[in-house]
Amino acid sequence: MTASSTSTNRASRPQPSLAQVDPEVFAAIRHEEQRQSSVLEMIPSENYASRAVIEAVGSVLTNKYAEGYAGARYYHGNEFIDEVERLAIDRAKALFGAEHANVQPHSGAQANMAVYLGLLQPGDRVLGMQLDAGGHLTHGSPVNASAKLYRFAAYGVDRETEVIDYDAMLETARQHEPKVIVVGATAYPRQFDFERARQVADAVGSLLMADMAHIAGLVAGGVHPSPVGHAQVITTSTHKTLRGPRGGMILCDRPFARRVDRGVFPGTQGGPLMHVIAGKAVMLHEAATEEFRQHARQIVANAKALAEALLSAGLRLVSGGTETHLVLVDVRGLGLSGQEAADALERAGVVVNKNTIPYDPLPPTQGSGVRMGTPAITSRGMGEAEMRRVGEMIGRVLRAPSDAKVAERTRAEVRALCEAFPAPGIPERGD
Ligand code: DSN
Protein backbone atom coordinates (compact mmCIF):
# COMPACT_ATOMS: atom_id res chain seq x y z
CA MET A 1 0.00 0.00 0.00
CA THR A 2 1.44 3.40 -0.98
CA ALA A 3 1.63 6.34 1.38
CA SER A 4 -0.88 8.32 -0.69
CA SER A 5 -3.52 5.57 -0.68
CA THR A 6 -3.12 5.26 3.11
CA SER A 7 -3.85 8.95 3.61
CA THR A 8 -6.82 8.74 1.20
CA ASN A 9 -8.22 5.87 3.21
CA ARG A 10 -7.79 7.79 6.44
CA ALA A 11 -9.51 10.87 5.05
CA SER A 12 -12.47 8.92 3.68
CA ARG A 13 -13.01 6.79 6.79
CA PRO A 14 -16.47 7.73 8.09
CA GLN A 15 -16.27 9.93 11.16
CA PRO A 16 -18.01 8.77 14.31
CA SER A 17 -21.33 10.48 15.06
CA LEU A 18 -22.04 12.78 18.00
CA ALA A 19 -23.85 9.92 19.74
CA GLN A 20 -20.69 7.80 19.45
CA VAL A 21 -18.15 10.50 20.31
CA ASP A 22 -20.03 12.12 23.16
CA PRO A 23 -23.11 10.24 24.34
CA GLU A 24 -23.61 12.64 27.26
CA VAL A 25 -23.93 15.78 25.13
CA PHE A 26 -25.95 13.82 22.57
CA ALA A 27 -28.40 12.71 25.28
CA ALA A 28 -28.72 16.23 26.70
CA ILE A 29 -29.55 17.59 23.22
CA ARG A 30 -32.14 14.87 22.64
CA HIS A 31 -33.71 15.60 26.03
CA GLU A 32 -33.83 19.31 25.20
CA GLU A 33 -35.53 18.49 21.90
CA GLN A 34 -38.13 16.52 23.83
CA ARG A 35 -38.58 19.31 26.38
CA GLN A 36 -39.01 21.98 23.69
CA SER A 37 -41.51 19.75 21.86
CA SER A 38 -43.64 18.93 24.87
CA VAL A 39 -44.04 22.24 26.74
CA LEU A 40 -45.69 25.55 25.94
CA GLU A 41 -42.62 27.80 25.42
CA MET A 42 -44.03 31.16 26.43
CA ILE A 43 -40.87 33.08 27.28
CA PRO A 44 -41.48 35.96 24.86
CA SER A 45 -37.85 36.22 23.78
CA GLU A 46 -37.70 32.58 22.67
CA ASN A 47 -38.79 30.93 19.46
CA TYR A 48 -38.28 27.92 17.19
CA ALA A 49 -35.74 28.56 14.42
CA SER A 50 -36.60 26.76 11.19
CA ARG A 51 -34.84 23.63 10.03
CA ALA A 52 -33.17 25.72 7.29
CA VAL A 53 -31.76 28.18 9.85
CA ILE A 54 -30.50 25.35 12.06
CA GLU A 55 -28.89 23.66 9.04
CA ALA A 56 -26.98 26.84 8.16
CA VAL A 57 -25.81 27.28 11.77
CA GLY A 58 -24.64 23.66 11.85
CA SER A 59 -22.50 24.10 8.72
CA VAL A 60 -18.73 24.14 8.04
CA LEU A 61 -18.81 27.93 8.15
CA THR A 62 -17.99 27.48 11.83
CA ASN A 63 -14.45 26.55 10.68
CA LYS A 64 -13.57 29.90 9.10
CA TYR A 65 -11.86 32.97 10.49
CA ALA A 66 -13.09 36.15 8.79
CA GLU A 67 -11.97 39.13 10.90
CA GLY A 68 -12.80 42.31 9.03
CA TYR A 69 -15.63 42.91 6.59
CA ALA A 70 -16.54 41.56 3.14
CA GLY A 71 -13.76 42.48 0.67
CA ALA A 72 -11.44 43.62 3.49
CA ARG A 73 -10.53 40.59 5.61
CA TYR A 74 -7.45 39.85 7.66
CA TYR A 75 -7.43 36.20 6.50
CA HIS A 76 -7.44 34.58 3.08
CA GLY A 77 -9.97 32.09 1.73
CA ASN A 78 -13.03 34.24 2.37
CA GLU A 79 -14.65 34.21 -1.09
CA PHE A 80 -17.76 32.31 0.00
CA ILE A 81 -17.80 33.84 3.45
CA ASP A 82 -18.02 37.28 1.80
CA GLU A 83 -20.91 36.01 -0.31
CA VAL A 84 -22.82 34.90 2.81
CA GLU A 85 -22.17 38.11 4.74
CA ARG A 86 -23.16 40.30 1.76
CA LEU A 87 -26.40 38.32 1.36
CA ALA A 88 -27.22 38.85 5.03
CA ILE A 89 -26.44 42.59 4.84
CA ASP A 90 -28.43 43.17 1.64
CA ARG A 91 -31.41 41.25 3.01
CA ALA A 92 -31.33 43.15 6.32
CA LYS A 93 -31.24 46.50 4.52
CA ALA A 94 -34.07 45.49 2.18
CA LEU A 95 -36.28 43.99 4.91
CA PHE A 96 -36.10 47.02 7.19
CA GLY A 97 -35.43 49.75 4.61
CA ALA A 98 -32.18 50.67 6.35
CA GLU A 99 -29.19 52.46 4.81
CA HIS A 100 -26.55 50.30 6.50
CA ALA A 101 -26.47 46.95 8.30
CA ASN A 102 -23.86 45.18 10.39
CA VAL A 103 -24.71 41.50 10.88
CA GLN A 104 -21.67 40.53 12.96
CA PRO A 105 -22.72 41.17 16.60
CA HIS A 106 -22.73 37.92 18.53
CA SER A 107 -25.81 39.00 20.49
CA GLY A 108 -28.12 41.93 21.18
CA ALA A 109 -26.03 42.89 24.21
CA GLN A 110 -22.86 42.89 22.07
CA ALA A 111 -24.66 45.03 19.49
CA ASN A 112 -25.54 47.59 22.16
CA MET A 113 -22.02 47.72 23.58
CA ALA A 114 -20.55 48.09 20.07
CA VAL A 115 -22.85 51.05 19.34
CA TYR A 116 -21.90 52.76 22.60
CA LEU A 117 -18.22 52.23 21.85
CA GLY A 118 -18.64 53.56 18.32
CA LEU A 119 -20.65 56.64 19.23
CA LEU A 120 -19.54 57.60 22.73
CA GLN A 121 -16.50 58.32 24.87
CA PRO A 122 -16.25 56.74 28.33
CA GLY A 123 -18.07 58.97 30.82
CA ASP A 124 -20.55 60.31 28.24
CA ARG A 125 -24.16 60.65 29.32
CA VAL A 126 -26.85 58.26 28.07
CA LEU A 127 -30.55 57.93 28.84
CA GLY A 128 -32.12 54.46 28.93
CA MET A 129 -35.24 52.74 30.18
CA GLN A 130 -35.39 51.74 33.84
CA LEU A 131 -34.84 48.00 34.29
CA ASP A 132 -38.00 47.44 36.35
CA ALA A 133 -40.01 49.38 33.78
CA GLY A 134 -38.90 46.86 31.16
CA GLY A 135 -35.43 48.05 30.11
CA HIS A 136 -32.40 45.83 29.53
CA LEU A 137 -29.19 45.31 31.49
CA THR A 138 -27.24 47.04 28.70
CA HIS A 139 -29.49 50.10 28.98
CA GLY A 140 -27.56 51.23 32.03
CA SER A 141 -28.19 48.73 34.80
CA PRO A 142 -25.64 49.45 37.56
CA VAL A 143 -24.40 45.84 37.41
CA ASN A 144 -23.65 46.07 33.67
CA ALA A 145 -20.58 47.38 31.83
CA SER A 146 -22.83 49.98 30.13
CA ALA A 147 -23.27 51.82 33.44
CA LYS A 148 -19.66 51.33 34.46
CA LEU A 149 -18.36 52.97 31.26
CA TYR A 150 -21.02 55.63 30.60
CA ARG A 151 -23.13 57.86 32.82
CA PHE A 152 -26.69 56.58 32.46
CA ALA A 153 -29.89 58.14 33.69
CA ALA A 154 -33.25 56.41 33.39
CA TYR A 155 -36.78 57.16 32.26
CA GLY A 156 -39.65 54.87 33.12
CA VAL A 157 -43.37 54.42 32.80
CA ASP A 158 -46.19 56.38 34.38
CA ARG A 159 -47.14 54.89 37.77
CA GLU A 160 -50.87 54.86 36.92
CA THR A 161 -50.98 53.90 33.23
CA GLU A 162 -47.74 51.87 33.23
CA VAL A 163 -47.07 53.29 29.76
CA ILE A 164 -44.00 55.37 28.77
CA ASP A 165 -44.56 59.04 29.55
CA TYR A 166 -42.68 60.82 26.74
CA ASP A 167 -43.13 64.22 28.43
CA ALA A 168 -41.39 62.86 31.52
CA MET A 169 -38.71 61.39 29.24
CA LEU A 170 -38.17 64.86 27.78
CA GLU A 171 -37.90 66.38 31.25
CA THR A 172 -35.28 63.80 32.30
CA ALA A 173 -33.45 64.30 29.01
CA ARG A 174 -33.33 68.08 29.61
CA GLN A 175 -31.86 67.52 33.08
CA HIS A 176 -29.33 64.91 31.98
CA GLU A 177 -28.40 66.18 28.47
CA PRO A 178 -27.52 62.72 27.08
CA LYS A 179 -25.57 62.12 23.91
CA VAL A 180 -27.70 59.07 23.19
CA ILE A 181 -31.24 58.15 24.20
CA VAL A 182 -32.00 54.41 24.11
CA VAL A 183 -35.58 53.36 23.42
CA GLY A 184 -36.47 49.70 23.68
CA ALA A 185 -37.34 47.13 26.29
CA THR A 186 -37.57 43.50 27.22
CA ALA A 187 -40.81 43.57 29.16
CA TYR A 188 -42.97 46.34 27.73
CA PRO A 189 -46.33 45.22 26.34
CA ARG A 190 -47.15 48.47 24.50
CA GLN A 191 -45.99 49.89 21.18
CA PHE A 192 -43.11 52.37 21.15
CA ASP A 193 -43.71 55.81 19.69
CA PHE A 194 -40.39 56.20 17.87
CA GLU A 195 -41.47 59.44 16.23
CA ARG A 196 -42.14 61.03 19.61
CA ALA A 197 -38.88 59.63 21.01
CA ARG A 198 -36.98 61.25 18.13
CA GLN A 199 -38.63 64.59 18.93
CA VAL A 200 -37.38 64.21 22.51
CA ALA A 201 -33.87 63.37 21.26
CA ASP A 202 -33.86 66.31 18.82
CA ALA A 203 -35.05 68.68 21.55
CA VAL A 204 -31.92 67.97 23.61
CA GLY A 205 -29.48 67.46 20.73
CA SER A 206 -29.15 63.72 21.38
CA LEU A 207 -29.00 60.76 19.02
CA LEU A 208 -31.81 58.22 19.19
CA MET A 209 -30.90 54.56 19.43
CA ALA A 210 -33.70 51.98 19.24
CA ASP A 211 -33.16 48.53 20.70
CA MET A 212 -35.87 46.63 18.85
CA ALA A 213 -34.71 43.16 19.94
CA HIS A 214 -38.13 42.06 21.19
CA ILE A 215 -40.23 43.54 18.42
CA ALA A 216 -37.96 43.15 15.35
CA GLY A 217 -40.13 40.38 13.92
CA LEU A 218 -43.24 42.50 14.44
CA VAL A 219 -41.53 45.43 12.68
CA ALA A 220 -40.46 43.15 9.81
CA GLY A 221 -44.02 41.82 9.60
CA GLY A 222 -45.54 45.31 9.57
CA VAL A 223 -47.45 45.03 12.86
CA HIS A 224 -45.34 47.44 14.91
CA PRO A 225 -44.21 50.90 13.68
CA SER A 226 -40.63 50.82 12.45
CA PRO A 227 -37.87 52.77 14.18
CA VAL A 228 -36.15 53.20 10.77
CA GLY A 229 -36.31 56.87 9.79
CA HIS A 230 -36.64 57.92 13.44
CA ALA A 231 -33.73 56.29 15.28
CA GLN A 232 -30.35 56.93 13.69
CA VAL A 233 -29.06 53.62 15.06
CA ILE A 234 -31.07 50.46 15.70
CA THR A 235 -29.92 47.28 17.42
CA THR A 236 -31.61 43.93 17.64
CA SER A 237 -31.08 40.33 18.50
CA THR A 238 -32.01 37.88 15.78
CA HIS A 239 -33.55 34.94 17.66
CA LYS A 240 -36.65 36.46 19.25
CA THR A 241 -39.69 37.43 17.15
CA LEU A 242 -37.37 37.38 14.10
CA ARG A 243 -37.03 33.60 14.59
CA GLY A 244 -33.41 33.38 13.48
CA PRO A 245 -30.28 31.98 15.08
CA ARG A 246 -29.03 33.34 18.42
CA GLY A 247 -27.21 36.56 17.54
CA GLY A 248 -27.36 40.32 17.02
CA MET A 249 -27.51 42.91 14.28
CA ILE A 250 -27.23 46.70 13.89
CA LEU A 251 -28.96 48.97 11.37
CA CYS A 252 -28.05 52.63 11.02
CA ASP A 253 -28.19 55.74 8.89
CA ARG A 254 -25.22 55.98 6.51
CA PRO A 255 -23.35 58.76 8.41
CA PHE A 256 -22.96 56.40 11.41
CA ALA A 257 -21.91 53.32 9.43
CA ARG A 258 -18.16 53.57 9.91
CA ARG A 259 -18.36 54.28 13.63
CA VAL A 260 -20.83 51.44 14.15
CA ASP A 261 -18.73 48.98 12.13
CA ARG A 262 -15.59 49.92 14.03
CA GLY A 263 -17.49 49.57 17.31
CA VAL A 264 -18.18 45.93 16.39
CA PHE A 265 -14.81 45.09 14.83
CA PRO A 266 -12.17 45.75 16.00
CA GLY A 267 -13.89 47.54 18.91
CA THR A 268 -15.61 44.76 20.77
CA GLN A 269 -15.35 41.56 18.73
CA GLY A 270 -12.82 39.43 16.88
CA GLY A 271 -13.75 36.86 14.26
CA PRO A 272 -17.42 36.88 13.30
CA LEU A 273 -19.46 33.69 13.77
CA MET A 274 -19.94 33.04 10.06
CA HIS A 275 -22.15 29.97 10.54
CA VAL A 276 -24.50 32.14 12.60
CA ILE A 277 -24.36 34.91 9.99
CA ALA A 278 -25.43 32.30 7.41
CA GLY A 279 -28.37 31.47 9.71
CA LYS A 280 -29.18 35.20 9.93
CA ALA A 281 -29.19 35.39 6.10
CA VAL A 282 -31.66 32.49 5.93
CA MET A 283 -33.83 34.06 8.65
CA LEU A 284 -33.89 37.39 6.75
CA HIS A 285 -34.96 35.53 3.61
CA GLU A 286 -37.79 33.83 5.54
CA ALA A 287 -38.86 37.08 7.23
CA ALA A 288 -39.34 38.80 3.88
CA THR A 289 -42.20 36.48 2.89
CA GLU A 290 -45.96 37.02 3.03
CA GLU A 291 -46.12 33.90 5.20
CA PHE A 292 -43.97 35.64 7.82
CA ARG A 293 -46.10 38.80 7.68
CA GLN A 294 -49.17 36.65 8.33
CA HIS A 295 -47.30 34.96 11.18
CA ALA A 296 -46.46 38.37 12.72
CA ARG A 297 -50.13 39.40 12.57
CA GLN A 298 -51.06 36.15 14.29
CA ILE A 299 -48.49 36.68 17.08
CA VAL A 300 -50.19 39.98 18.00
CA ALA A 301 -53.74 38.62 17.59
CA ASN A 302 -52.76 35.69 19.80
CA ALA A 303 -51.27 37.96 22.46
CA LYS A 304 -54.51 39.97 22.56
CA ALA A 305 -56.58 36.77 22.87
CA LEU A 306 -54.26 35.52 25.62
CA ALA A 307 -54.51 38.86 27.46
CA GLU A 308 -58.32 38.75 27.31
CA ALA A 309 -58.37 35.19 28.64
CA LEU A 310 -56.03 36.11 31.50
CA LEU A 311 -58.16 39.15 32.37
CA SER A 312 -61.26 36.92 32.34
CA ALA A 313 -59.43 34.61 34.75
CA GLY A 314 -59.15 37.62 37.09
CA LEU A 315 -55.43 38.34 36.63
CA ARG A 316 -53.97 41.85 36.59
CA LEU A 317 -51.93 42.76 33.53
CA VAL A 318 -49.36 45.55 33.59
CA SER A 319 -50.76 48.45 31.51
CA GLY A 320 -54.06 46.55 31.30
CA GLY A 321 -53.26 44.55 28.18
CA THR A 322 -50.96 44.30 25.19
CA GLU A 323 -50.28 45.69 21.72
CA THR A 324 -47.32 43.43 21.06
CA HIS A 325 -46.26 39.81 21.49
CA LEU A 326 -46.12 39.77 25.28
CA VAL A 327 -48.08 40.28 28.45
CA LEU A 328 -46.75 41.02 31.91
CA VAL A 329 -48.87 39.56 34.71
CA ASP A 330 -48.74 41.16 38.16
CA VAL A 331 -49.02 38.18 40.54
CA ARG A 332 -48.98 40.07 43.84
CA GLY A 333 -52.78 39.83 44.16
CA LEU A 334 -52.44 36.02 44.17
CA GLY A 335 -50.06 36.15 47.12
CA LEU A 336 -47.20 34.91 44.92
CA SER A 337 -43.82 36.18 43.81
CA GLY A 338 -42.89 35.95 40.14
CA GLN A 339 -40.52 33.10 41.00
CA GLU A 340 -43.29 31.10 42.70
CA ALA A 341 -45.74 31.73 39.87
CA ALA A 342 -43.21 30.71 37.17
CA ASP A 343 -42.31 27.57 39.17
CA ALA A 344 -45.97 26.55 39.42
CA LEU A 345 -46.53 27.10 35.71
CA GLU A 346 -43.43 25.09 34.80
CA ARG A 347 -44.72 22.14 36.83
CA ALA A 348 -47.80 22.28 34.59
CA GLY A 349 -45.74 22.45 31.38
CA VAL A 350 -46.10 26.19 30.74
CA VAL A 351 -42.67 27.85 30.57
CA VAL A 352 -42.61 31.59 31.34
CA ASN A 353 -40.15 33.77 33.24
CA LYS A 354 -40.34 35.70 36.45
CA ASN A 355 -40.02 39.40 35.83
CA THR A 356 -40.01 42.67 37.67
CA ILE A 357 -42.99 44.95 37.13
CA PRO A 358 -42.91 48.77 37.17
CA TYR A 359 -42.01 50.12 40.64
CA ASP A 360 -41.45 46.55 41.82
CA PRO A 361 -40.79 46.20 45.55
CA LEU A 362 -39.06 42.84 44.93
CA PRO A 363 -35.57 42.33 43.44
CA PRO A 364 -35.17 40.80 39.93
CA THR A 365 -34.28 37.43 41.50
CA GLN A 366 -37.89 37.22 42.77
CA GLY A 367 -39.93 39.77 40.79
CA SER A 368 -43.61 40.51 41.27
CA GLY A 369 -44.59 39.45 37.79
CA VAL A 370 -44.39 36.79 35.15
CA ARG A 371 -43.67 37.65 31.53
CA MET A 372 -45.20 35.53 28.82
CA GLY A 373 -45.54 35.80 25.07
CA THR A 374 -46.94 34.20 21.98
CA PRO A 375 -44.06 34.06 19.40
CA ALA A 376 -43.04 30.42 19.91
CA ILE A 377 -46.52 28.96 20.30
CA THR A 378 -47.63 30.94 17.23
CA SER A 379 -44.71 29.36 15.34
CA ARG A 380 -46.31 26.01 16.26
CA GLY A 381 -49.44 27.13 14.40
CA MET A 382 -51.66 27.86 17.41
CA GLY A 383 -54.35 30.51 17.03
CA GLU A 384 -56.77 32.50 19.14
CA ALA A 385 -58.89 29.49 20.14
CA GLU A 386 -55.80 27.82 21.64
CA MET A 387 -54.82 31.10 23.37
CA ARG A 388 -58.17 31.15 25.16
CA ARG A 389 -57.51 27.61 26.41
CA VAL A 390 -53.95 28.48 27.42
CA GLY A 391 -55.13 31.60 29.28
CA GLU A 392 -57.67 29.52 31.17
CA MET A 393 -54.99 26.95 32.09
CA ILE A 394 -52.61 29.65 33.33
CA GLY A 395 -55.35 31.22 35.45
CA ARG A 396 -56.24 27.82 36.91
CA VAL A 397 -52.62 26.99 37.85
CA LEU A 398 -51.90 30.41 39.34
CA ARG A 399 -54.99 30.16 41.54
CA ALA A 400 -53.89 26.76 42.88
CA PRO A 401 -50.09 26.85 42.60
CA SER A 402 -49.47 24.04 45.10
CA ASP A 403 -52.22 21.70 43.90
CA ALA A 404 -50.48 18.69 42.33
CA LYS A 405 -53.72 17.46 40.74
CA VAL A 406 -54.28 20.77 38.94
CA ALA A 407 -50.66 20.70 37.73
CA GLU A 408 -51.01 17.12 36.51
CA ARG A 409 -54.28 17.73 34.68
CA THR A 410 -52.90 20.87 33.05
CA ARG A 411 -49.67 19.08 32.09
CA ALA A 412 -51.73 16.44 30.26
CA GLU A 413 -53.68 19.15 28.40
CA VAL A 414 -50.41 20.88 27.48
CA ARG A 415 -48.99 17.62 26.13
CA ALA A 416 -52.07 17.04 23.97
CA LEU A 417 -51.89 20.59 22.63
CA CYS A 418 -48.20 20.18 21.83
CA GLU A 419 -48.86 16.92 19.97
CA ALA A 420 -51.56 18.63 17.90
CA PHE A 421 -49.20 21.52 17.06
CA PRO A 422 -45.67 20.12 16.52
CA ALA A 423 -42.76 22.51 17.05
CA PRO A 424 -41.04 23.54 13.80
CA GLY A 425 -37.33 22.87 13.37
CA ILE A 426 -37.34 19.86 15.70
CA PRO A 427 -37.07 16.51 13.91
CA GLU A 428 -39.68 13.93 14.75
CA ARG A 429 -37.79 10.98 16.22
CA GLY A 430 -39.06 7.46 16.11
CA ASP A 431 -36.96 6.50 19.14
N1 DSN B 1 -32.75 37.92 27.81
C1 DSN B 1 -33.54 38.70 26.90
C2 DSN B 1 -34.98 38.59 27.17
O1 DSN B 1 -35.41 37.55 27.62
O2 DSN B 1 -35.73 39.52 26.95
C3 DSN B 1 -33.08 40.08 26.82
O3 DSN B 1 -31.77 40.06 26.34
Side-chain angles (χ1 to χ4, degrees), residues 164-182:
I164 294 174
D165 177 345
Y166 291 90
D167 292 332
M169 181 197 280
L170 175 59
E171 207 171 298
T172 312
R174 284 200 203 286
Q175 286 161 8
H176 195 66
E177 297 181 335
K179 281 207 169 149
V180 170
I181 297 178
V182 186

Side-chain angles (χ1 to χ4, degrees), residues 34 41 51 63-64 78 138 140 207 209 218 239 249 254 271 290 321 342 425:
Q34 286 157 7
E41 280 296 354
R51 180 179 159 190
N63 296 337
K64 192 72 194 96
N78 276 306
T138 56
L207 292 175
M209 166 177 161
L218 307 185
H239 49 275
M249 193 164 74
R254 208 166 285 113
E290 181 49 39

Side-chain angles (χ1 to χ4, degrees), residues 167-290:
D167 292 332
M169 181 197 280
L170 175 59
E171 207 171 298
T172 312
R174 284 200 203 286
Q175 286 161 8
H176 195 66
E177 297 181 335
K179 281 207 169 149
V180 170
I181 297 178
V182 186
V183 175
T186 63
Y188 186 63
R190 297 288 164 179
Q191 290 192 346
F192 292 96
D193 187 342
F194 294 118
E195 191 179 349
R196 180 82 180 95
R198 174 62 183 265
Q199 287 164 1
V200 170
D202 284 348
V204 296
S206 162
L207 292 175
L208 183 65
M209 166 177 161
D211 178 344
M212 65 168 181
H214 263 260
I215 54 166
L218 307 185
V219 171
V223 291
H224 189 294
S226 174
V228 176
H230 301 299
Q232 291 98 334
V233 181
I234 298 158
T235 58
T236 184
S237 49
T238 49
H239 49 275
K240 296 186 172 96
T241 45
L242 270 180
R243 213 163 54 178
R246 191 155 290 274
M249 193 164 74
I250 305 171
L251 309 173
C252 66
D253 292 350
R254 208 166 285 113
F256 302 96
R258 188 175 152 72
R259 280 188 280 164
V260 162
D261 284 351
R262 287 190 64 76
V264 176
F265 176 84
T268 50
Q269 291 189 176
L273 308 178
M274 287 312 307
H275 55 307
V276 179
I277 291 175
K280 291 174 193 173
V282 176
M283 167 274 284
L284 290 160
H285 178 69
E286 292 174 346
T289 58
E290 181 49 39

Side-chain angles (χ1 to χ4, degrees), residues 43 45 136 186 214 240 371:
I43 293 174
S45 48
H136 186 252
T186 63
H214 263 260
K240 296 186 172 96
R371 186 184 68 150

Side-chain angles (χ1 to χ4, degrees), residues 102-116:
N102 186 308
V103 295
Q104 291 193 2
H106 301 328
S107 68
Q110 289 281 125
N112 288 347
M113 294 312 290
V115 169
Y116 299 150

